[in-house]
Structures are given as structure tokens and as C-alpha cells.
Amino acid sequence: MQTRREIYKSIKDIPRAEYLAGGTGLCAGCGGLLALRLLHKALGPNVVFVNAAGCLTLLAVFPFTPFHSSWLYTAMASAPAGAQGIRDALDVLIAKGKLAKEEDLKVVVVTGDGAANGIGLQATLGAIFRGLDFYYFCYDNEAFGNTGFQMSPASPLGSRTATTPTGTTTRKENLFELWRAQRPAFVATVSAAYPLDLMDKVARAGRLHGSKLFVSLSSCPPGWGIEPAESVEIAKLAVDTGVWPLKEGHDGEVIHTVVPHRFRPVEEYLQRQARYRHLFEPTRQEDILRRLQADVDQYWAAVRPTPS
Amino acid sequence: MSRVRHLRLHGRGGEGVKLAAHVVSRAAFLAGHTVQDSPLYGAERRGAPVVAFVRFGDGEIHERGYIVMPDAVVLMDVSLLAHPEAAVLDGLDHASVLLANSRHTADELKRHYGIPARVVSLDISSIALELLGHPLLSAPVAGFVTKALGIAPWETLAEAVRIELQAIGLARELIEQNLRATRRAFDESPLVAWGERAPSAAAAGAAPFVVPRLPARLSAPSMTVEATSALRHTEGWRVYRPEIERARCTRCFLCFALCPEGAIQLDGESYPVVDYEHCKGCLVCVSECPPKAIHEIREETA
Amino acid sequence: MMRELLTGNAAAAWGARLADVDYVPAYPITPQTEIIESLAQWIARGELAARMVTLDSEHSMLTAAGAAAATGARVFTATSSQGLVYGFEMLYTVAGWRVPLVLVNVSRALAAPITLEPDHNDVLAARDSGFLQLHAESCQEVLDSILMAYRLAEHADVLLPVLVNLDGFYLSFTREPVELPALEAVREFLPPYEPAHGRLSASHAMAQGVAVLGGSAYAFFKYQMQRAAEAALAVHEEIAAEFGARFGRRYGAVDGYQLDDAEWVIVMSNSFSTVGKAEVARLRERGEKVGLLRLRLIRPFPHAELARLLAGRRAVAVIDQNLSVGKGGILFAEVASALPTNAAPPLLSFIGGLGGRRFRSEEFDQILAALREAESSGGSREAHLLYSESEYRQLLDMLRIARGGTIEV
């Protein structure tokens, strides 16, 4: 079941203009790159990306950039503060008549889960608290990907990372709720496997002034242990098993925008990824498998999906 | 001064260059040599050029860092020959050797690229695809290199493969498969003699260069030209290329929507067209095409 | 032009106001807070057309400052001590973006132990970052230095951010007469900011601060910063000459007091130099040919001028109000490296004023005696801490209270 989309109803609505050129050094099949490409199509031109350390930092390596837009790499912890500085400067320069209004830019923070959770929370919550008018796009591949896939606060229970070789024993930090507690204008989870849902959310959020935050579960072939060709399929399984709920929050309400008719067993998603292989081989770890399914079941039991 | 042999291995991230170097280095170590090995790469990234160095000898090794004058270069991905910044041929001369993973003959490679060194080639990728199902090159490349240059006997190499593959957590079954691929490469590898490299004459009397001051506005790592990444081609990343069978295509637009690179565009009739210069061969389009109108075709190398 | 009684903090705020800055990202910390409070008041009253935003930490504050400068705004910000080092990473980053801005540091000794009074370990920690540095002795100099700092930072040959340092308490909360130049006169000296490099707008897309891979690219950009900083020596000279001509106050890379015929020279920096100058005057009355050299421009470091001014002296003492643990006084090492190895006067190193500890008059007599001794026996690398026996005894008493029992020494 899907909530009625307002702007991107059919795949034919996807604009053909590309805002990112090819030739970057990102992995083949990168789920974060696909989500960013779709996000940019929904945003249109006149964008400045403010980046914190992560895989996508390698998009712009001197002298190559894929962007027609602007880009500023800041630091791991402080991309939202960089966004604050750019937004304020644009406002002040326009107010003082030093810059024409048509020269304004949409300010978009791009970070991975590593920089969004933990280290980056201070700056992000500060930006939301100040009512900063910006977008935040987090590509969540559930680890510190750029440094070799070490555990991050977004690594899910039971997943193998370079620093949790026998599986993570902590629960994934709930970034959506951390953001939402600050009452930003708009907050959403998205997935590149559901491009219309992603783009519609971005476009509808664009009508609002204030902080607009998106977290996209992003397939990571080298980190998750999947083939690049499976990148979209695995992302879709995450949604179809209920592991990654697609939802949005604004005005104090949470709406689930894509609710599977029939939830596939979580194991179907886990079994496809080498980072969960230890849950199945050499023996099945029933406790953890049961817990993972129970967590998903509990989540959805508490949710009342909105009728389409 | 004891003799030190210098190997420089080139490939792309994800191809197992570092592991290949580790296996060769371990084999030399187990054979009783002093060794030093090190990789050089940017952020963890598939596709980008990666270099690894192996030095081995009978005494102490008073060297470190980039191997500028290799006795042998191991080229795990010949598509790097088309990228001057990968510098795969730097420092080679007639006394050195280039070992290439390629389905082309040594003569073809040498002539086509004007390679100054002696060349030997072996189609490691096909061995890996056949025996491992995936282009996992590290162990069979190590088999090729160890045999060709006479670095260690088979038993020693096999032990090196076991040690290094266990160290990265590979399951026993996969290690055995890798050993089979290594054995095949070892058996099929031609032999080549080490050359005797003459030390290069230092440029006498060269004055030290003083970097001039550029205008401050040009002295920052910034770009004012848009989308310069388009100048970089990623066709060399592909093992398989996607080919769209127009007759079966229903123009559903899914491949256009889901290509992470934006390398599939729609033509005047709204049929998808692949930009092969910027396709990385991820094959998401092949997986996602509902009528299965996109086929994966093995890429011809070099 | 108005003559006012202002604290150093107020003078700093006036510097930002007269520079007609666009943006002030802020975060409070003792002893800087009056700066941002003054600016907040003026902005609220419409007397300064800038935007002030309180960020969530100094690290964020410095990021916002640099990002706004990269967008094309004229930016002012201020911090101290713990705040400066909390945002330390961003000092290197912002300088590497090659965007101009002025950061005022109100010096305060660094924890641990945590304290509030001044010394210079905070600002000197930033000396490698690429920020240029000016250190002020008086409230007037604070204001003047800020105006000159914008000209310096925004200069086409420089494009590096500038740190202006003033001592906590002894300048920040101390009121002195300050001449406020008229806004129009300042505008002639410092026109509105026209970005030569960092700008962001729809019709001018730019990728800034991007990653570089490979040592050659990194070395190139880093070295260009060095060349720009070297060029800044001459640029500073030009700017200071123009400032002097317009406003009647002439500043140099260094400030000499009774230096011309001095046989013995004491090198100091910042506001405690005033105390040093008073002591020099006292010793001069006794017939001692002592002089004081105050370091003002710390980055770029004025090697040549220093070597010229210290040549031929009988001995030189450097008083550092900082301490590099395991090495000694920071400025001592920098001064020593500026002098030719075969023709340098004997050098002595003293540490004084850590945590704001006040100098005792007799310590300058001790320094002079040591200089005399050094002339014949040669200089010494060993840093001598200026401290008195009575202070030591009081410290032992405090230790006894703190730890109980007897303290065997």
C-alpha cells in the first residue's frame, strides 16, 4: 500500500536532466550515489552541497567534481554548521543587496550515517533547533564505510563490521526519532529502491521553510557483501521485510508512505548479505534471528498504517 | 650490499592487489628471505588505482616507500595502461619484467603499448572466473608471479596462500577453491628470468626547483568549472558490460531511473542508451529490467 | 573620530562594527563574552547590519565562519582558550580554504588545570594552522589591528584568515582611552569585501575545500599558503603605513621600546609588555642600557627584522608567557631560529605570566643580572620559570590543605 504521491506519481515524471556527471570514484552499484542522484533530480538546480567526511567526500577530488552544483567539504562533525554559515551568508548578502535574489541556493548537507549519528548529532540538532532552512541527506550504509566498514552507531544488531567481526551487539541508533524530537519542518526515511517515494518526499518538503531531513538506507556492495548488481534488489528487500520503514514526520505526525501488503520474513533480507552470514553458518544463531524478526514485528504492530 | 628484488603490483581497488602482494611476500618470507611489503591507496574504494610493493632479499632492506625502479611490475588490470596517472609503466626498462593479467599475448601487449620491459601474460581473470566463479584475482596472480619469477616452490606458496587468506577470514572451502586457482595459474605460468638493473645515473648539476607563488585565488583546492569528472572514463572498471536489446525493451524507464551513475539516458524515442564511457558495469540495470531486455556481455580487455 | 573609555572586548567589538562585518557566528566563553554581547546589542538596535547566530560549539562556530566567508560574506568571530582548541581542526581547514576572516582570541590559559586568567598557549597552539596572527598590547591596538586584519586577510596576495589576540582580563576587562575612527574614514581604508576567490551563488558554482589525493597536490597547496604568508610581511607593512598615514598610529611587525641604543634586550609580547616597558624605564633610570622588543606579528614571523634588531646586542632575554611542555618557551625557540647561528647574541629563556601570574619587579633585576652573566658565559637553552620562594611556600601550604598530612620536600 502506498500513500498517494502528489508530484512524482509515475516513473515517467522523473526529469531527464542529470545533475551529477559520471566518472566519479564511488563503488559500482553504490546505493548512496543512486539516492543522491534521485534527490538532486527532485531538487533541481541551484544547490550547494555541504559535506562531512564519508564515502561521498570522494565525489569531489581535485580537480574533478561531478557536480554542476556547488560543494563545500567541511569536517566530519560540522557539516550542518557549514550549512548554517552558507545559509546565513546568502541571506545577509541578499538582504544587503550584494547578491541578487535569483542567485540564492538551496543548502543541502550530505553525510553518511557515521557523520550523522554520534559525532554529528550536536551540529545537526543545533541546526534544527535554530530552525535552519536547509536539507539534510544522510546515506546510511550502516557503518563507517569510507574507512573500511567499521561499526557506527547506525550498525544494526547482529551485523558484521570490521570492528565487530562476530556481529554488533548494540541496537541501531534511531536517527529519524532523534531528528524528529526537535520538531523540524520535515523528516523522512527514503530508499533508492522506491525512487518515486523518495523524490515525492523531497519535492513536497521543498514547499516548507525550515530543516528538512532525509535518511536513506543505502546498499553498500563491499560492506554488506553483495554483488553491485543486487544493490537495488537488496534495498527493496529491506523495505519489503519491514526492516526499513518508509515514513515521514511533520506537524507532530508520522505517516508511513509505503507499507508492504505482505511482509517477507526478515531472514530473506539477511541471508543475501555476507555481513549476516555468521547468523547462518556454521550454525544458525536462532536467538539473534528471532530477535531481529521480533523487533520488526513489534515495530509494525505499534504502527497504524494510514489508508491510501 | 645484499641484492633486493623489487616488485610493484598495480590493479584497481576491489581486485585484491594488496592481498596478492601479501601472498607473494609471505611466500618469499617462508622461503627464507627478508621481506617488506606495503600498499598505497586512497580511501577504501573499488575501481580506483591501487599500488602495492614487495621487496625481498637476503639481508637487511634499507629501503622504504614507492618502488621507482621495479625489477618486475605485476599488472592485474591492463585497463590501467590507458590511464597515465596510474603510472604502471614508470621505471621499467629492458632489464625489467611486466607480468600482465590479460587474454592478449605478451607480444600484442608489448607492441600495442610500447612497453619497454620484457612481457609475459596469463589470463588470470578467466582462471578465476572458471574456478572461483568471480574475478577474485589475488591468489592466482600470486601463483603466476611466484612461478614466473621463481620466488618460491609450490608447497611454500600454498602455505602462504593458506596463511594470508585465513588472516582475512576466508572460509576453508573458499581457501581450497583459491588454492586450485592458484595451482592452475602456477602450472600455466611461463618462466622468466630476473634482469640486472643498472642503477640510474642521477641528473648531475640539477638545481633545486623553487615553487613560485601563484595568485592567491588560484592557490586553493577549489574548482570553478562544473562537472569536470566527466573527463574521467570508468569503462575500465567493467568485467561485464550491459547491452540493451531494443526489440525486447518496453520503455518502462526503470534502468534510466535506477542507474547509480546516471549512465543510462533516454533517446529521442525514449529508448534507454548506455553511456559506456561512464558505465562501471554494476549491472543493476540487468537485474532490474522486468522483461530481461538487458544482457551482460563479458568485456574484452585492453 | 571619538575618544572613548573602552575595555579590550569593547574595542574588539568596535573593530568588527567599524569593519561593517556581515556575519558573526558566536559561542560564549570567558573572557570573550562581552564582545558578542556588545555586537548583539548593536545588531538589535539596528546600529550594525550583520547577522549574529549562536552556534552549538566553537567547532561549529568556526565551521560556520569559514563557510560564510567561502560564500562571500565578511565574517567576524571570537573565542578563547578551550573554545579555540575545541575548534582546532577547523583552524587548519578554514585557512586551507583560502578564505579571509578575522577571529579574535581573548587569551586564557589552557586546562588542565582549568583557570580563567591569561597566557598564550591557546593562541600559539594555532601558529601552524595557516591563520596569520597579530598580538595586541593595548585596547587601541586591538581595534586598529582588527581593521588592518581585514585588509590583510582580504588582500589578493594573501587570502588567509587572521587571528587577533588580546589578553584576557588585562585587556579584555581593562578600560583604556581608545580613539574610535569615523565610519567614513574607515570605509575609505577598508572598502566593502569583494571576494577574489570564495563565492557561492547560482550563477557561480564552485567546489571548495575538496579532497586531494597524492602528495604532490597536497604539498603544492600547503606551500602556496606559506608563500602567501611570506607575501603578507610586505602587505602588512603597506597596510600599516597606510593606516598610519590615515589615522596617525603606525604599527610594525614588532614594537621597540628604548631599543635603539640598548645593549640588553628583553623580548616580550601582548599586554604584559607594558609591565616590561615600565621595568625597562626603571632600569634605564639606574643607567642600565636596557630595551624591550615586543613581538606583534607572530605569523608570518618577521625573521629578517628580528635578526636586524637583535644583531650586536650584548645579550637577549625572551620572556615567554607560554610553555611547550618538554621543550620550553615557544617564542624563545622562534626567536632563536631567526638569528644567524654564527653571529647571534647570547640568548636566555624565561617563562613568566603563566595563568596570568603577575611579574615581580625584582625579576627584571634578576633577568638583567643573568644577561650580564650570559654575555661572558654564553646563552642558555634552559627555560627559567620566574617564581618566588614565598609563592612556593604558599603553594606548599595549599598542598598540605589539599592532601592532608605533612608534605616532605
Side-chain angles (χ1 to χ4, degrees):
Chain A
M1 172 180 35
Q2 306 197 1
T3 311
R4 189 177 49 86
R5 291 185 295 270
E6 290 178 31
I7 300 152
Y8 291 95
K9 297 183 194 160
S10 140
I11 202 168
K12 314 280 170 158
D13 294 330
I14 297 180
R16 299 190 184 196
E18 295 295 341
Y19 293 93
L20 275 89
T24 66
L26 300 206
C27 299
C30 173
L33 180 59
L34 177 56
L36 181 69
R37 172 176 169 251
L38 296 167
L39 175 108
H40 208 332
K41 281 179 184 280
L43 287 173
N46 302 348
V47 170
V48 53
F49 290 103
V50 188
N51 177 243
C55 289
L56 265 55
T57 301
L58 278 298
L59 279 172
V61 178
F62 188 84
F64 301 111
T65 172
F67 295 108
H68 295 274
S69 317
S70 291
W71 167 273
L72 177 69
Y73 172 76
T74 54
M76 184 143 189
S78 59
Q84 182 81 51
I86 295 177
R87 181 70 267 153
D88 287 335
L90 288 169
D91 288 345
V92 161
L93 293 172
I94 290 172
K96 285 186 169 183
K98 292 183 182 176
L99 201 62
K101 242 186 153 328
E102 308 80 67
E103 295 285 8
D104 200 9
L105 296 168
K106 296 178 199 79
V107 182
V108 182
V109 166
V110 180
T111 81
D113 55 282
N117 290 277
I119 194 173
L121 273 176
Q122 176 187 289
T124 310
L125 298 184
I128 302 172
F129 158 75
R130 292 185 298 270
L132 180 65
D133 181 28
F134 79 126
Y135 296 79
Y136 192 122
F137 170 65
C138 169
Y139 56 96
D140 179 3
N141 67 353
E142 303 192 313
F144 290 108
N146 202 37
T147 43
F149 211 77
Q150 295 85 22
M151 182 190 130
S152 84
S155 299
L157 182 70
S159 67
R160 186 188 74 207
T161 70
T163 44
T164 54
T166 54
T168 305
T169 55
T170 44
R171 282 201 147 69
K172 185 182 175 77
E173 197 164 86
N174 194 333
L175 190 61
F176 178 85
E177 288 300 330
L178 282 167
W179 285 345
R180 197 173 74 87
Q182 301 297 306
R183 316 289 246 160
F186 191 91
V187 56
T189 58
V190 294
S191 168
Y194 285 84
L196 299 176
D197 178 75
L198 185 160
M199 294 178 69
D200 203 64
K201 282 166 170 163
V202 172
R204 281 186 292 108
R207 297 167 178 162
L208 304 168
H209 184 95
S211 308
K212 303 167 272 278
L213 307 116
F214 303 84
V215 53
S216 173
L217 183 68
S218 299
S219 307
C220 173
W224 293 11
I226 62 175
E227 289 299 319
E230 298 173 297
S231 177
V232 171
E233 191 191 338
I234 301 299
K236 193 155 192 301
L237 264 175
V239 175
D240 295 349
T241 54
V243 167
W244 185 250
L246 291 179
K247 56 190 172 180
E248 62 189 55
H250 42 87
D251 304 321
E253 231 198 310
V254 174
I255 300 168
H256 285 74
T257 56
V258 174
V259 181
H261 289 285
R262 183 185 68 84
F263 287 84
R264 305 177 79 99
V266 170
E267 267 190 46
E268 276 187 32
Y269 167 67
L270 304 176
Q271 260 169 358
R272 300 287 298 274
Q273 305 170 60
R275 66 173 171 151
Y276 287 112
R277 186 138 306 141
H278 60 284
L279 298 181
F280 300 98
E281 293 163 23
T283 54
R284 285 175 61 90
Q285 295 198 44
E286 286 298 346
D287 274 359
I288 299 177
L289 289 169
R290 249 181 276 134
R291 179 114 70 90
L292 293 175
Q293 183 67 61
D295 284 348
V296 169
D297 293 342
Q298 255 170 29
Y299 175 87
W300 287 99
V303 161
R304 290 170 199 283
T306 52
S308 53
Chain B
M1 180 74 87
S2 71
R3 164 182 293 290
V4 176
R5 293 294 185 191
H6 308 82
L7 265 73
R8 195 173 73 212
L9 295 87
H10 291 273
R12 293 183 184 274
E15 289 175 340
V17 178
K18 180 170 138 187
L19 183 59
H22 277 186
V23 175
V24 173
S25 169
R26 174 73 62 175
F29 180 65
L30 291 171
H33 297 292
T34 314
V35 304
Q36 187 199 84
D37 63 52
S38 60
L40 191 65
Y41 45 78
E44 310 290 311
R45 176 108 317 109
R46 289 187 168 174
V50 171
V51 199
F53 311 106
V54 177
R55 293 175 164 92
F56 68 94
D58 297 316
E60 286 184 35
I61 298 176
H62 291 284
E63 301 174 23
R64 202 171 291 287
Y66 203 93
I67 291 179
V68 172
M69 285 193 21
D71 293 297
V73 163
V74 179
L75 189 51
M76 292 173 63
D77 186 331
V78 293
S79 74
L80 288 175
L81 285 162
H83 294 274
E85 75 274 8
V88 304
L89 298 179
D90 276 17
L92 287 175
D93 71 5
H94 65 276
S96 45
V97 182
L98 180 93
L99 297 103
N101 166 29
S102 173
R103 52 167 67 168
H104 293 283
T105 67
D107 274 338
E108 285 171 342
L109 289 169
K110 193 175 164 71
R111 255 182 294 117
H112 187 85
Y113 290 100
I115 300 171
R118 291 167 293 139
V119 180
V120 288
S121 82
L122 189 61
D123 187 1
I124 304 287
S125 294
S126 291
I127 293 175
L129 279 168
E130 187 191 323
L131 294 177
L132 293 163
H134 297 279
L136 303 171
L137 305 174
S138 308
V141 161
F144 173 30
V145 173
T146 306
K147 169 72 172 298
L149 294 168
I151 294 175
W154 167 252
E155 295 308 330
T156 310
L157 173 63
E159 199 190 331
V161 170
R162 284 201 179 87
I163 292 172
E164 294 297 335
L165 267 57
Q166 254 164 34
I168 59 160
L170 256 56
R172 196 158 56 86
E173 165 74 41
L174 195 50
I175 294 178
E176 291 306 315
Q177 282 183 330
N178 270 281
L179 275 166
R180 284 194 282 278
T182 309
R183 181 81 216 211
R184 169 84 80 85
F186 189 90
D187 288 342
E188 291 184 11
S189 171
L191 299 174
V192 63
W194 294 97
E196 297 307 321
R197 297 214 56 168
S200 64
F209 177 70
V210 179
V211 176
R213 175 167 68 87
L214 258 56
R217 64 182 169 77
L218 292 179
S219 306
S222 52
M223 288 88 86
T224 50
V225 179
E226 299 174 14
T228 49
S229 71
L231 296 167
R232 314 204 83 192
H233 295 176
T234 52
E235 60 228 325
W237 293 37
R238 292 195 298 266
V239 180
Y240 294 92
R241 71 199 273 132
E243 281 186 5
I244 302 175
E245 189 187 336
R246 202 156 154 124
R248 273 178 106 113
C249 172
T250 60
R251 288 183 283 182
C252 73
F253 286 19
L254 265 176
C255 57
F256 153 72
L258 296 175
C259 172
E261 305 294 324
I264 300 182
Q265 291 303 303
L266 301 165
D267 68 13
E269 292 172 283
S270 293
Y271 278 98
V273 177
V274 177
D275 167 13
Y276 287 105
E277 287 180 341
H278 298 110
C279 164
K280 288 174 181 164
C282 74
L283 306 179
V284 164
C285 53
V286 172
S287 292
E288 298 299 316
C289 174
K292 298 287 164 225
I294 308 183
H295 309 292
E296 58 186 74
I297 310 296
R298 177 83 202 278
E299 196 67 82
E300 294 297 299
T301 54
Chain C
M1 195 266 291
M2 270 175 7
R3 202 167 141 84
E4 269 285 354
L5 194 61
L6 296 178
T7 61
N9 278 348
W14 268 104
R17 174 168 166 166
L18 290 168
D20 199 19
V21 299
D22 296 314
Y23 185 53
V24 182
Y27 195 85
I29 183 167
T30 302
Q32 155 266 56
T33 47
E34 286 77 8
I35 301 178
I36 57 175
E37 288 166 6
S38 303
L39 291 169
Q41 289 244 20
W42 294 333
I43 291 169
R45 297 203 295 249
E47 290 167 26
L48 172 59
R51 173 177 292 201
M52 172 181 284
V53 176
T54 301
L55 275 293
D56 42 274
S57 76
E58 288 91 346
H59 183 282
S60 289
M61 181 187 89
L62 290 170
T63 306
T71 307
R74 180 175 280 165
V75 180
F76 176 84
T77 188
T79 188
S80 301
S81 184
Q82 310 305 132
L84 184 71
V85 301
Y86 190 90
F88 196 65
E89 163 187 42
M90 297 316 294
L91 296 174
Y92 285 75
T93 295
V94 168
W97 287 349
R98 303 303 299 278
V99 294
L101 57 86
V102 173
L103 164 63
V104 165
N105 183 66
V106 185
S107 68
R108 172 182 144 188
L110 285 170
I114 184 147
T115 188
L116 295 174
E117 286 145 276
D119 71 30
H120 305 134
N121 266 98
D122 57 357
V123 69
L124 289 174
R127 66 195 187 282
D128 298 337
S129 65
F131 266 72
L132 305 185
Q133 288 198 21
L134 290 166
H135 291 199
E137 182 191 351
S138 68
C139 298
Q140 180 74 66
E141 190 178 338
V142 169
L143 187 155
D144 294 344
S145 295
I146 289 170
L147 299 177
M148 288 188 282
Y150 277 106
R151 279 284 300 271
L152 186 61
E154 295 170 6
H155 194 279
D157 290 346
V158 178
L159 289 185
L160 287 168
V162 180
L163 251 170
V164 175
N165 192 66
L166 65 140
D167 281 333
F169 287 83
Y170 300 100
L171 277 191
S172 71
F173 303 148
T174 300
R175 296 199 305 176
E176 293 177 343
V178 175
E179 280 186 7
L180 291 177
L183 188 57
E184 306 73 49
V186 174
R187 188 146 304 153
E188 277 175 41
F189 170 74
L190 179 66
Y193 174 44
E194 286 299 332
H197 168 239
R199 320 174 8 218
L200 294 173
S201 65
S203 61
H204 186 261
M206 241 186 124
Q208 294 190 51
V210 304
V212 301
L213 290 174
S216 288
Y218 184 87
F220 174 79
F221 288 119
K222 204 71 191 197
Y223 189 65
Q224 289 300 320
M225 291 167 68
Q226 169 68 14
R227 298 306 301 268
E230 289 165 1
L233 270 173
V235 171
H236 175 262
E237 184 58 35
E238 275 171 39
I239 291 171
E242 188 187 328
F243 191 91
R246 286 183 188 273
F247 302 105
R249 289 181 295 280
R250 185 75 165 81
Y251 294 94
V254 303
D255 164 29
Y257 177 77
Q258 306 236 37
L259 199 53
D260 291 348
D261 66 338
E263 294 172 342
W264 317 102
V265 177
I266 300 175
V267 179
M268 296 182 73
S269 73
N270 287 277
S271 70
F272 281 15
S273 303
T274 311
V275 172
K277 288 176 182 176
E279 293 300 320
V280 163
R282 177 179 64 82
L283 292 167
R284 276 275 178 178
E285 267 167 33
R286 255 180 27 200
E288 307 287 5
K289 288 187 155 187
V290 193
L292 186 133
L293 189 152
R294 176 173 71 89
L295 289 169
R296 187 174 164 270
L297 188 63
I298 304 293
R299 285 293 183 270
F301 194 77
H303 294 104
E305 192 169 350
L306 212 53
R308 187 176 56 79
L309 288 171
L310 295 180
R313 312 291 177 174
R314 291 171 70 179
V316 174
V318 180
I319 305 181
D320 272 288
Q321 195 173 355
N322 62 77
L323 180 59
S324 176
V325 176
K327 172 77 175 119
I330 293 170
L331 295 175
F332 172 78
E334 302 225 335
V335 168
S337 73
L339 304 178
T341 44
N342 54 349
L347 277 186
L348 293 177
S349 172
F350 293 91
I351 308 292
L354 293 184
R357 178 209 173 265
R358 64 177 177 82
F359 290 93
R360 272 66 170 168
S361 197
E362 56 270 23
E363 284 160 0
F364 286 84
D365 292 276
Q366 290 163 10
I367 290 173
L368 183 56
L371 285 169
R372 286 214 143 81
E373 170 67 36
E375 187 186 17
S376 44
S377 66
S380 167
R381 201 168 285 127
E382 268 199 51
H384 175 81
L385 180 73
L386 297 172
Y387 208 78
S388 68
E389 196 176 342
S390 68
E391 279 175 288
Y392 177 62
R393 299 220 171 282
Q394 282 170 9
L395 218 309
L396 288 180
D397 288 341
M398 289 201 277
L399 263 178
R400 289 183 188 101
I401 295 170
R403 300 308 190 90
T406 52
I407 309 270
E408 303 297 332
V409 288

